Amino acid sequence: MASSADLKLLSAYAHSLGMRIEDHDEAGMPVVAIDFSEDLEGRPGALHGGATSGILETAGYAALRTELSRQGRNARLKPINVTVQFLRAGLRKRTLAAGRIKRLGRRNANIVVEAWQDDREKPIATAVMNVMVVEAD
């Protein structure tokens, strides 16, 4: 079960699609999960690309918020760009995603995110995110 701190890592958009923090990886980063449903179906039998992109972006921001919290920083996040690479079709099953912070500076962050279904070594999509970090007053 997700803690109240984990629930704050997800946006209203993520909650509306049924995303949740399912676990934390070996680095302590949140693992975001979404179950397949007909509402998320793109072409017949496959997860919609928008849902795949959505879980990647959500996992990236969750990882960044987790790291900022560890550093005791309170910041607003603004996307600079997000590049998604679709590697294979998402099937009619649960999808997981987790992000890794490649660089976190004073004003921007670089994040790499992977989404997978059965085997993390066989991702269905990856993303590279560049995010502006604006320190709160």
Side-chain angles (χ1 to χ4, degrees):
M1 177 173 236
S3 69
S4 62
D6 284 344
L7 293 176
K8 293 178 182 176
L9 295 174
L10 301 179
S11 66
Y13 166 76
H15 286 289
S16 73
L17 290 182
M19 293 182 205
R20 63 190 178 282
I21 304 294
E22 183 147 307
D23 200 357
H24 292 81
D25 67 11
E26 61 281 348
M29 293 298 164
V31 176
V32 178
I34 188 170
D35 293 320
F36 184 87
S37 73
E38 290 183 14
D39 292 337
L40 302 177
E41 189 169 26
R43 68 176 168 78
L47 185 65
H48 192 279
T52 303
S53 298
I55 193 172
L56 286 166
E57 188 172 358
T58 297
Y61 281 116
L64 181 54
R65 286 188 177 100
T66 298
E67 184 58 31
L68 287 168
S69 177
R70 284 181 185 164
Q71 295 182 8
R73 295 170 63 183
N74 183 20
R76 292 182 322 170
L77 308 177
K78 297 182 176 185
I80 298 171
N81 65 7
V82 178
T83 302
V84 175
Q85 296 140 346
F86 297 98
L87 304 175
R88 58 181 55 116
L91 302 177
R92 301 175 67 94
K93 51 178 78 170
R94 182 182 61 152
T95 301
L96 303 165
R100 288 180 289 130
I101 309 299
K102 298 301 284 184
R103 180 184 180 279
L104 175 57
R106 191 170 52 87
R107 296 191 306 183
N108 64 39
N110 308 101
I111 309 158
V112 175
V113 191
E114 294 176 335
W116 70 94
Q117 292 187 312
D118 295 325
D119 183 355
R120 190 169 183 170
E121 299 301 316
K122 296 179 180 175
I124 63 168
T126 62
V128 175
M129 299 172 59
N130 297 301
V131 179
M132 180 183 294
V133 178
V134 180
E135 298 290 335
D137 295 328

